[in-house]
Amino acid sequence: MTIKDSIQIALKGLETNRSRSFLAILGIVIGITAIILMMSIGQGAESLILRQIGGLGAETIVVRPGKEPTGPTDVGETLLATSLKIKDYQALQKKSNVPGVVEITPVLLIPGSVSFEGETYRPTIIGSKADFFLEVFDVYPKVGVVFDEVDISQNASVAIIGSKVAEELFGGGEALGEQISIKGRKFRVIGVLPPKGQVVFFDLNDLVMIPYTTAQTYLLGIDYFHEIILKAESAGAVLRTVSDVETTLRESHGIENAKDDDFFVVTQQGLVEQIQVIIGALTAFLSSVVAIALVVGGIGVMNIMLVSVTERTREIGLRKALGATEKDIMMQFLFESTILTAIGGVIAVLLGATLSFLASLVLTVVVGITWSFALPINAIFLGLIVSGLVGLIFGLYPARKAAKKSPIEALRYE
Amino acid sequence: MAFLSIENVEKSYPDGTYALRGVSFSIEKGEFVAIMGPSGSGKSTLLHVLGFLDRQSKGVYRFDGKTMDDYTEEELAHVRNKKMGFVFQAFNLLPRTTTKENVELPLLYSDVKKSEHEKLVKEAILAVGLVERTNHLSSQLSGGERQRVAIARALVNDPDIIFADEPTGNLDSKSGKMIMEIIQRLHGEGRTIILITHETYTAQHAQRIIRMLDGKIESDTVVDNRHIARDSFEK
């Protein structure tokens, strides 16, 4: 008796008991569908969250003045620290110092509100180099232009505003060219950004951006920066770039020992790792729930196979009388349960993929989240292998029971 | 040495009942023997022991010079497959399966090459006159036809001996006659036949009748006036 014969006999057996076979695999189909959905949606969620924290991207490196905060009170100190100056910015810009950097901007955070003809609004106001953010977020003003190096060097009083800021101050009216006032100083609106989806830590729609030089000179009256943000050429270059940044700043500040640093560097990588850990833990938790579902499904298969063995006692006896060995009978029933659940696995993979795809459509079209559909290849393999294994494991006992039946008992059975 | 011999074979069950109480006889190759007796006389148990389907409690049974203990479970299955053919009262065809597939079943458990299956199945079906029913499902066949499929299935591996347990018990007399004609023909071709029946008329198609009563042999006689079944296939 070849494997092929066993498979054919098993297929025939399943075909003969079609509706029962279908009911038997229902539990498995549901369990494996859950696995596929979980892995697919999990992957989608992970990439969504990473993209959002990303926001700025995993390549982003933020340099802040002062000691690295280790408790809540230190944060205030950081805001008051004055150690990042224009010479540091210039030193970091040099390719010879930090070769891995592609973009760099100083950042100033300006507390306060903006107003226009009696309308007042509190957006996020930052002083920076405009093209850094626009490039990182891939936006360009829908009307107007971006301020450039000339505006920066001349401390120009110009501003780029987000769509929500425009809405709040100007209603539906034209914003371009109007004078808005920040801390009593007039700024001309030279660009309005198009509406952009919410990014977790950063809302472009709620942003007012002015040249950092203007912010330093006219609004804050300081000669230092709150942050310097750099973008490394790739996530892989982040570590090396961080060390280059530290070396450059220590040299610029005349610091010899790392513990005397009057600045600190923050990257997104730690956060990314944390998020991955959280998602991993969630997945493990859900997996254990699914595992229980699969055990229940497996017991369902075992039940149906036991019923099948009892119902087919006569057939088993006949096969034995005609020369089937215990092994042949065992193989027949094992193949039946394994093929059965494997078919369930295939159905479940298709079903899970379809559901996940529909979910991504709903999230994207209805909810408005940019959700990308992902079906990890290992989810497919896992689904198929697990379903087959469930059939094999839970088919073992019924198959053994069938194999051990005595031919005369079986033939006598009415 | 006899092809098949049993000596003082007993079969008892754990509850203390006896199905066989010391049975002895031997059968030569090519013999056609009917085992007769009322229900409960032990004739079916005897057939199970002879067909290596069940094990006696006491005594010795030799088939082709060997006892059941000379074989492993797997080898017993092979002996049943290659040397023995079984025909049952209830036909025992697989449901929702065609004539061809039912007849092929013993070949699946044999070491006969796949390429030869079709030829052997065809020959067996031809031997029972069911060529035009080759692709019919068992449920589409009459009782007589089903029993002929069962005989073809018993034949397909070219066994030395055929055990037939009340093969005509569920059939009308015309179909029964047809079955007996086929069985007599198989005997004529040199096969050993052991037929179980409770009908004297059917038993008289054999050469010899062993009558059982209460687990013992009541008589063992040669049939003087054998019935010869023939021409039953004529319409």
Side-chain angles (χ1 to χ4, degrees), chain A residues 14-75:
Chain A
L14 291 175
E15 202 193 321
T16 323
N17 304 292
R18 212 173 293 161
S19 64
R20 186 171 58 200
S21 305
F22 172 72
L23 286 175
I25 55 174
L26 214 53
I28 298 298
V29 170
I30 293 169
I32 303 289
T33 302
I35 291 188
I36 301 289
L37 261 183
M38 202 179 65
M39 291 183 74
S40 171
I41 290 185
Q43 175 120 339
E46 185 173 320
S47 65
L48 176 77
I49 293 171
L50 290 184
R51 226 174 342 167
Q52 296 231 332
I53 330 172
L56 298 174
E59 303 88 13
T60 307
I61 299 165
V62 180
V63 184
R64 297 209 171 108
K67 289 265 177 227
E68 183 159 12
T70 52
T73 50
D74 300 345
V75 179

Short mmCIF file of all heavy atoms in Angstrom, two decimals, chain A residues 14-75:
data_model
loop_
_atom_site.label_atom_id
_atom_site.label_comp_id
_atom_site.label_asym_id
_atom_site.label_seq_id
_atom_site.Cartn_x
_atom_site.Cartn_y
_atom_site.Cartn_z
N LEU A 14 -13.50 11.06 2.77
CA LEU A 14 -13.97 12.41 3.09
C LEU A 14 -15.09 12.82 2.17
O LEU A 14 -16.07 13.44 2.58
CB LEU A 14 -12.81 13.39 2.97
CG LEU A 14 -11.71 13.25 4.01
CD1 LEU A 14 -10.56 14.19 3.71
CD2 LEU A 14 -12.27 13.55 5.38
N GLU A 15 -14.93 12.44 0.89
CA GLU A 15 -15.93 12.82 -0.10
C GLU A 15 -17.26 12.14 0.22
O GLU A 15 -18.33 12.74 0.06
CB GLU A 15 -15.41 12.37 -1.47
CG GLU A 15 -16.02 13.12 -2.62
CD GLU A 15 -15.71 12.42 -3.93
OE1 GLU A 15 -14.59 11.93 -4.09
OE2 GLU A 15 -16.63 12.35 -4.76
N THR A 16 -17.16 10.89 0.67
CA THR A 16 -18.39 10.15 0.97
C THR A 16 -19.15 10.77 2.13
O THR A 16 -20.35 10.65 2.24
CB THR A 16 -18.03 8.69 1.32
OG1 THR A 16 -16.95 8.29 0.49
CG2 THR A 16 -19.20 7.78 1.08
N ASN A 17 -18.41 11.44 3.02
CA ASN A 17 -19.06 12.04 4.20
C ASN A 17 -18.90 13.55 4.17
O ASN A 17 -18.37 14.15 5.10
CB ASN A 17 -18.44 11.48 5.47
CG ASN A 17 -18.50 9.98 5.51
OD1 ASN A 17 -19.56 9.40 5.62
ND2 ASN A 17 -17.35 9.34 5.39
N ARG A 18 -19.33 14.15 3.06
CA ARG A 18 -18.97 15.54 2.81
C ARG A 18 -19.47 16.52 3.88
O ARG A 18 -18.71 17.33 4.39
CB ARG A 18 -19.48 15.96 1.43
CG ARG A 18 -18.58 16.99 0.77
CD ARG A 18 -19.00 17.25 -0.65
NE ARG A 18 -18.80 16.10 -1.51
CZ ARG A 18 -19.41 15.93 -2.68
NH1 ARG A 18 -20.28 16.82 -3.11
NH2 ARG A 18 -19.17 14.88 -3.42
N SER A 19 -20.75 16.45 4.22
CA SER A 19 -21.28 17.48 5.12
C SER A 19 -20.71 17.33 6.52
O SER A 19 -20.42 18.30 7.21
CB SER A 19 -22.81 17.44 5.16
OG SER A 19 -23.22 16.22 5.71
N ARG A 20 -20.49 16.07 6.91
CA ARG A 20 -19.89 15.86 8.22
C ARG A 20 -18.46 16.40 8.22
O ARG A 20 -18.02 17.03 9.18
CB ARG A 20 -19.89 14.38 8.58
CG ARG A 20 -19.41 14.15 9.98
CD ARG A 20 -19.62 12.74 10.42
NE ARG A 20 -18.94 11.82 9.54
CZ ARG A 20 -19.24 10.54 9.45
NH1 ARG A 20 -20.22 10.05 10.16
NH2 ARG A 20 -18.58 9.76 8.64
N SER A 21 -17.74 16.15 7.12
CA SER A 21 -16.37 16.64 7.02
C SER A 21 -16.33 18.15 7.17
O SER A 21 -15.48 18.70 7.87
CB SER A 21 -15.77 16.27 5.65
OG SER A 21 -15.87 14.89 5.43
N PHE A 22 -17.29 18.83 6.53
CA PHE A 22 -17.30 20.29 6.59
C PHE A 22 -17.50 20.77 8.03
O PHE A 22 -16.79 21.65 8.52
CB PHE A 22 -18.39 20.85 5.68
CG PHE A 22 -18.57 22.33 5.85
CD1 PHE A 22 -17.62 23.21 5.35
CD2 PHE A 22 -19.66 22.85 6.52
CE1 PHE A 22 -17.76 24.57 5.51
CE2 PHE A 22 -19.81 24.21 6.69
CZ PHE A 22 -18.86 25.08 6.19
N LEU A 23 -18.47 20.15 8.70
CA LEU A 23 -18.74 20.56 10.09
C LEU A 23 -17.52 20.32 10.97
O LEU A 23 -17.22 21.10 11.86
CB LEU A 23 -19.94 19.78 10.64
CG LEU A 23 -21.28 20.25 10.09
CD1 LEU A 23 -22.41 19.36 10.59
CD2 LEU A 23 -21.53 21.70 10.49
N ALA A 24 -16.82 19.21 10.67
CA ALA A 24 -15.67 18.85 11.51
C ALA A 24 -14.59 19.92 11.47
O ALA A 24 -13.92 20.17 12.46
CB ALA A 24 -15.10 17.51 11.07
N ILE A 25 -14.43 20.57 10.30
CA ILE A 25 -13.30 21.50 10.19
C ILE A 25 -13.68 22.93 10.54
O ILE A 25 -12.84 23.80 10.56
CB ILE A 25 -12.67 21.49 8.78
CG1 ILE A 25 -13.72 21.78 7.73
CG2 ILE A 25 -11.94 20.20 8.55
CD1 ILE A 25 -13.14 21.93 6.35
N LEU A 26 -14.94 23.16 10.86
CA LEU A 26 -15.38 24.53 11.12
C LEU A 26 -14.53 25.19 12.21
O LEU A 26 -14.09 26.32 12.07
CB LEU A 26 -16.86 24.51 11.54
CG LEU A 26 -17.67 25.70 11.09
CD1 LEU A 26 -17.55 25.93 9.59
CD2 LEU A 26 -19.13 25.50 11.46
N GLY A 27 -14.32 24.44 13.29
CA GLY A 27 -13.52 24.98 14.40
C GLY A 27 -12.12 25.34 13.96
O GLY A 27 -11.58 26.38 14.33
N ILE A 28 -11.53 24.45 13.16
CA ILE A 28 -10.17 24.68 12.66
C ILE A 28 -10.15 25.91 11.76
O ILE A 28 -9.27 26.76 11.85
CB ILE A 28 -9.67 23.45 11.87
CG1 ILE A 28 -9.61 22.23 12.78
CG2 ILE A 28 -8.32 23.71 11.24
CD1 ILE A 28 -8.66 22.36 13.92
N VAL A 29 -11.16 26.00 10.88
CA VAL A 29 -11.21 27.14 9.96
C VAL A 29 -11.24 28.43 10.76
O VAL A 29 -10.49 29.37 10.49
CB VAL A 29 -12.45 27.04 9.04
CG1 VAL A 29 -12.64 28.34 8.27
CG2 VAL A 29 -12.30 25.87 8.08
N ILE A 30 -12.07 28.46 11.79
CA ILE A 30 -12.18 29.68 12.59
C ILE A 30 -10.86 29.98 13.30
O ILE A 30 -10.37 31.11 13.28
CB ILE A 30 -13.34 29.55 13.62
CG1 ILE A 30 -14.66 29.50 12.86
CG2 ILE A 30 -13.33 30.71 14.61
CD1 ILE A 30 -15.85 29.12 13.70
N GLY A 31 -10.26 28.95 13.89
CA GLY A 31 -9.00 29.15 14.61
C GLY A 31 -7.89 29.66 13.71
O GLY A 31 -7.20 30.63 14.03
N ILE A 32 -7.73 29.00 12.55
CA ILE A 32 -6.64 29.41 11.65
C ILE A 32 -6.94 30.78 11.04
O ILE A 32 -6.03 31.60 10.86
CB ILE A 32 -6.43 28.36 10.54
CG1 ILE A 32 -6.14 26.99 11.15
CG2 ILE A 32 -5.30 28.77 9.62
CD1 ILE A 32 -4.80 26.85 11.81
N THR A 33 -8.21 31.04 10.75
CA THR A 33 -8.56 32.37 10.24
C THR A 33 -8.13 33.43 11.25
O THR A 33 -7.57 34.47 10.88
CB THR A 33 -10.08 32.48 10.00
OG1 THR A 33 -10.46 31.45 9.09
CG2 THR A 33 -10.45 33.83 9.41
N ALA A 34 -8.36 33.13 12.53
CA ALA A 34 -7.96 34.07 13.58
C ALA A 34 -6.45 34.30 13.54
O ALA A 34 -5.98 35.43 13.67
CB ALA A 34 -8.40 33.56 14.94
N ILE A 35 -5.69 33.21 13.35
CA ILE A 35 -4.23 33.36 13.29
C ILE A 35 -3.84 34.29 12.14
O ILE A 35 -3.06 35.22 12.31
CB ILE A 35 -3.54 32.00 13.05
CG1 ILE A 35 -3.71 31.12 14.28
CG2 ILE A 35 -2.06 32.18 12.74
CD1 ILE A 35 -2.89 29.85 14.21
N ILE A 36 -4.40 34.00 10.97
CA ILE A 36 -4.03 34.78 9.79
C ILE A 36 -4.42 36.25 9.98
O ILE A 36 -3.62 37.16 9.73
CB ILE A 36 -4.76 34.22 8.53
CG1 ILE A 36 -4.40 32.75 8.31
CG2 ILE A 36 -4.44 35.05 7.30
CD1 ILE A 36 -3.00 32.50 7.86
N LEU A 37 -5.64 36.45 10.49
CA LEU A 37 -6.10 37.82 10.71
C LEU A 37 -5.19 38.54 11.68
O LEU A 37 -4.78 39.68 11.45
CB LEU A 37 -7.51 37.78 11.31
CG LEU A 37 -8.67 38.00 10.37
CD1 LEU A 37 -9.97 37.99 11.14
CD2 LEU A 37 -8.50 39.32 9.64
N MET A 38 -4.87 37.83 12.78
CA MET A 38 -4.07 38.42 13.82
C MET A 38 -2.70 38.84 13.27
O MET A 38 -2.24 39.95 13.52
CB MET A 38 -3.89 37.39 14.91
CG MET A 38 -3.56 37.93 16.24
SD MET A 38 -3.42 36.53 17.33
CE MET A 38 -2.01 35.70 16.62
N MET A 39 -2.08 37.90 12.54
CA MET A 39 -0.74 38.21 12.05
C MET A 39 -0.78 39.30 11.00
O MET A 39 0.08 40.19 10.96
CB MET A 39 -0.07 36.95 11.51
CG MET A 39 0.24 35.97 12.62
SD MET A 39 1.10 34.50 12.07
CE MET A 39 2.74 35.13 11.77
N SER A 40 -1.80 39.23 10.15
CA SER A 40 -1.90 40.21 9.07
C SER A 40 -2.20 41.60 9.62
O SER A 40 -1.53 42.58 9.29
CB SER A 40 -2.99 39.75 8.10
OG SER A 40 -3.25 40.75 7.17
N ILE A 41 -3.20 41.67 10.51
CA ILE A 41 -3.57 42.97 11.07
C ILE A 41 -2.47 43.47 12.00
O ILE A 41 -2.16 44.65 12.04
CB ILE A 41 -4.94 42.88 11.78
CG1 ILE A 41 -6.02 42.70 10.71
CG2 ILE A 41 -5.21 44.13 12.61
CD1 ILE A 41 -7.42 42.71 11.21
N GLY A 42 -1.85 42.53 12.72
CA GLY A 42 -0.74 42.90 13.61
C GLY A 42 0.38 43.57 12.83
O GLY A 42 0.89 44.60 13.24
N GLN A 43 0.69 42.96 11.68
CA GLN A 43 1.75 43.54 10.85
C GLN A 43 1.35 44.92 10.35
O GLN A 43 2.15 45.86 10.36
CB GLN A 43 2.01 42.61 9.67
CG GLN A 43 3.01 43.16 8.69
CD GLN A 43 4.20 42.24 8.56
OE1 GLN A 43 4.48 41.42 9.46
NE2 GLN A 43 4.90 42.32 7.48
N GLY A 44 0.09 45.04 9.94
CA GLY A 44 -0.42 46.33 9.46
C GLY A 44 -0.33 47.38 10.55
O GLY A 44 0.12 48.51 10.33
N ALA A 45 -0.75 46.98 11.77
CA ALA A 45 -0.74 47.91 12.89
C ALA A 45 0.69 48.32 13.22
O ALA A 45 0.98 49.50 13.45
CB ALA A 45 -1.40 47.28 14.11
N GLU A 46 1.58 47.35 13.20
CA GLU A 46 2.96 47.65 13.53
C GLU A 46 3.54 48.67 12.56
O GLU A 46 4.15 49.65 12.95
CB GLU A 46 3.80 46.36 13.53
CG GLU A 46 5.22 46.61 14.00
CD GLU A 46 6.00 45.32 14.17
OE1 GLU A 46 5.42 44.34 14.65
OE2 GLU A 46 7.19 45.31 13.81
N SER A 47 3.28 48.42 11.27
CA SER A 47 3.89 49.34 10.31
C SER A 47 3.23 50.71 10.40
O SER A 47 3.89 51.73 10.22
CB SER A 47 3.85 48.77 8.89
OG SER A 47 2.54 48.64 8.44
N LEU A 48 1.93 50.72 10.74
CA LEU A 48 1.25 52.02 10.89
C LEU A 48 1.86 52.79 12.07
O LEU A 48 2.23 53.96 11.94
CB LEU A 48 -0.24 51.81 11.15
CG LEU A 48 -1.02 53.10 11.42
CD1 LEU A 48 -1.28 53.84 10.12
CD2 LEU A 48 -2.31 52.82 12.14
N ILE A 49 2.00 52.11 13.21
CA ILE A 49 2.50 52.77 14.40
C ILE A 49 3.94 53.25 14.18
O ILE A 49 4.30 54.37 14.50
CB ILE A 49 2.42 51.84 15.62
CG1 ILE A 49 0.95 51.58 15.96
CG2 ILE A 49 3.14 52.44 16.82
CD1 ILE A 49 0.74 50.53 16.99
N LEU A 50 4.73 52.38 13.55
CA LEU A 50 6.12 52.74 13.33
C LEU A 50 6.22 53.95 12.39
O LEU A 50 7.04 54.83 12.58
CB LEU A 50 6.90 51.57 12.75
CG LEU A 50 7.12 50.43 13.75
CD1 LEU A 50 7.97 49.34 13.14
CD2 LEU A 50 7.78 50.95 15.02
N ARG A 51 5.30 53.96 11.40
CA ARG A 51 5.33 55.07 10.47
C ARG A 51 4.99 56.37 11.21
O ARG A 51 5.50 57.43 10.91
CB ARG A 51 4.32 54.83 9.36
CG ARG A 51 4.90 55.11 7.98
CD ARG A 51 3.92 54.71 6.92
NE ARG A 51 2.96 53.83 7.51
CZ ARG A 51 1.82 53.47 6.96
NH1 ARG A 51 1.48 53.89 5.84
NH2 ARG A 51 0.99 52.65 7.56
N GLN A 52 4.06 56.23 12.19
CA GLN A 52 3.61 57.43 12.88
C GLN A 52 4.63 57.96 13.87
O GLN A 52 4.88 59.16 13.93
CB GLN A 52 2.30 57.12 13.60
CG GLN A 52 1.22 56.79 12.61
CD GLN A 52 -0.04 57.59 12.85
OE1 GLN A 52 -0.33 57.99 13.96
NE2 GLN A 52 -0.77 57.84 11.80
N ILE A 53 5.19 57.05 14.66
CA ILE A 53 6.21 57.53 15.59
C ILE A 53 7.30 58.04 14.77
O ILE A 53 7.92 59.03 15.06
CB ILE A 53 7.01 56.41 16.32
CG1 ILE A 53 6.26 55.21 16.52
CG2 ILE A 53 7.83 56.98 17.39
CD1 ILE A 53 7.18 54.12 17.05
N GLY A 54 7.56 57.09 13.83
CA GLY A 54 8.45 57.49 12.84
C GLY A 54 8.11 58.90 12.76
O GLY A 54 8.79 59.73 13.28
N GLY A 55 6.93 59.17 12.23
CA GLY A 55 6.59 60.55 11.94
C GLY A 55 7.80 61.17 11.33
O GLY A 55 7.92 61.36 10.13
N LEU A 56 8.74 61.41 12.18
CA LEU A 56 10.00 61.94 11.69
C LEU A 56 10.85 60.84 11.09
O LEU A 56 11.81 61.09 10.41
CB LEU A 56 10.75 62.61 12.83
CG LEU A 56 10.04 63.81 13.45
CD1 LEU A 56 10.80 64.30 14.65
CD2 LEU A 56 9.88 64.91 12.43
N GLY A 57 10.53 59.59 11.41
CA GLY A 57 11.29 58.50 10.83
C GLY A 57 12.35 57.98 11.77
O GLY A 57 12.84 58.69 12.66
N ALA A 58 12.69 56.74 11.59
CA ALA A 58 13.69 56.10 12.44
C ALA A 58 15.07 56.71 12.23
O ALA A 58 15.96 56.53 13.05
CB ALA A 58 13.74 54.61 12.16
N GLU A 59 15.22 57.47 11.15
CA GLU A 59 16.53 58.06 10.84
C GLU A 59 16.77 59.36 11.61
O GLU A 59 17.84 59.95 11.52
CB GLU A 59 16.66 58.36 9.34
CG GLU A 59 16.45 57.17 8.41
CD GLU A 59 14.98 56.99 8.04
OE1 GLU A 59 14.17 57.91 8.31
OE2 GLU A 59 14.62 55.92 7.52
N THR A 60 15.71 59.79 12.32
CA THR A 60 15.81 61.11 12.95
C THR A 60 16.62 61.08 14.24
O THR A 60 16.49 60.17 15.04
CB THR A 60 14.40 61.63 13.27
OG1 THR A 60 13.64 61.57 12.08
CG2 THR A 60 14.45 63.05 13.79
N ILE A 61 17.45 62.09 14.40
CA ILE A 61 18.27 62.22 15.61
C ILE A 61 18.01 63.61 16.18
O ILE A 61 18.06 64.60 15.45
CB ILE A 61 19.77 62.10 15.27
CG1 ILE A 61 20.06 60.72 14.67
CG2 ILE A 61 20.64 62.35 16.51
CD1 ILE A 61 21.40 60.64 13.97
N VAL A 62 17.67 63.67 17.46
CA VAL A 62 17.39 64.97 18.07
C VAL A 62 18.48 65.26 19.10
O VAL A 62 18.78 64.44 19.95
CB VAL A 62 16.01 64.98 18.77
CG1 VAL A 62 15.74 66.34 19.40
CG2 VAL A 62 14.92 64.63 17.76
N VAL A 63 19.07 66.46 19.01
CA VAL A 63 20.08 66.87 19.99
C VAL A 63 19.45 67.93 20.87
O VAL A 63 18.85 68.89 20.38
CB VAL A 63 21.32 67.46 19.30
CG1 VAL A 63 22.39 67.77 20.34
CG2 VAL A 63 21.86 66.50 18.25
N ARG A 64 19.51 67.70 22.19
CA ARG A 64 18.95 68.69 23.12
C ARG A 64 20.04 69.20 24.05
O ARG A 64 20.99 68.47 24.34
CB ARG A 64 17.83 68.06 23.95
CG ARG A 64 16.66 67.60 23.09
CD ARG A 64 15.33 67.63 23.85
NE ARG A 64 14.28 67.39 22.89
CZ ARG A 64 13.57 66.25 22.82
NH1 ARG A 64 13.80 65.27 23.66
NH2 ARG A 64 12.64 66.12 21.91
N PRO A 65 19.89 70.42 24.52
CA PRO A 65 20.91 70.97 25.42
C PRO A 65 20.72 70.47 26.85
O PRO A 65 19.66 69.95 27.20
CB PRO A 65 20.64 72.48 25.36
CG PRO A 65 19.17 72.58 25.06
CD PRO A 65 18.81 71.37 24.24
N GLY A 66 21.75 70.60 27.65
CA GLY A 66 21.68 70.22 29.06
C GLY A 66 21.98 68.75 29.27
O GLY A 66 22.37 68.04 28.36
N LYS A 67 21.79 68.33 30.55
CA LYS A 67 22.02 66.92 30.91
C LYS A 67 20.83 66.10 30.44
O LYS A 67 19.69 66.59 30.42
CB LYS A 67 22.16 66.80 32.43
CG LYS A 67 23.43 67.40 32.96
CD LYS A 67 24.49 66.32 33.10
CE LYS A 67 25.79 66.93 33.57
NZ LYS A 67 26.93 66.46 32.78
N GLU A 68 21.07 64.86 30.17
CA GLU A 68 19.96 63.98 29.81
C GLU A 68 19.03 63.86 31.01
O GLU A 68 19.47 63.55 32.11
CB GLU A 68 20.47 62.59 29.42
CG GLU A 68 19.36 61.67 28.97
CD GLU A 68 19.88 60.51 28.12
OE1 GLU A 68 21.10 60.30 28.06
OE2 GLU A 68 19.04 59.83 27.54
N PRO A 69 17.72 64.12 30.83
CA PRO A 69 16.82 64.09 31.98
C PRO A 69 16.65 62.67 32.50
O PRO A 69 16.47 61.73 31.73
CB PRO A 69 15.50 64.63 31.43
CG PRO A 69 15.60 64.54 29.94
CD PRO A 69 17.05 64.47 29.57
N THR A 70 16.76 62.52 33.83
CA THR A 70 16.53 61.20 34.42
C THR A 70 15.30 61.24 35.30
O THR A 70 14.83 60.23 35.78
CB THR A 70 17.75 60.75 35.27
OG1 THR A 70 18.05 61.82 36.17
CG2 THR A 70 18.96 60.47 34.41
N GLY A 71 14.73 62.42 35.52
CA GLY A 71 13.50 62.52 36.31
C GLY A 71 12.70 63.71 35.82
O GLY A 71 13.19 64.49 35.00
N PRO A 72 11.48 63.89 36.35
CA PRO A 72 10.60 64.96 35.86
C PRO A 72 11.19 66.36 36.02
O PRO A 72 11.01 67.20 35.15
CB PRO A 72 9.35 64.82 36.73
CG PRO A 72 9.45 63.49 37.39
CD PRO A 72 10.88 63.09 37.39
N THR A 73 11.94 66.60 37.10
CA THR A 73 12.44 67.96 37.32
C THR A 73 13.53 68.33 36.32
O THR A 73 13.72 69.49 36.01
CB THR A 73 13.02 68.09 38.74
OG1 THR A 73 13.92 67.02 38.96
CG2 THR A 73 11.92 68.09 39.79
N ASP A 74 14.23 67.32 35.83
CA ASP A 74 15.32 67.59 34.89
C ASP A 74 14.81 68.16 33.57
O ASP A 74 15.54 68.85 32.86
CB ASP A 74 16.10 66.31 34.59
CG ASP A 74 16.71 65.74 35.86
OD1 ASP A 74 16.75 66.48 36.86
OD2 ASP A 74 17.14 64.58 35.83
N VAL A 75 13.53 67.86 33.25
CA VAL A 75 13.02 68.30 31.96
C VAL A 75 13.01 69.81 31.88
O VAL A 75 13.39 70.41 30.88
CB VAL A 75 11.60 67.74 31.71
CG1 VAL A 75 11.05 68.22 30.38
CG2 VAL A 75 11.64 66.21 31.74
#
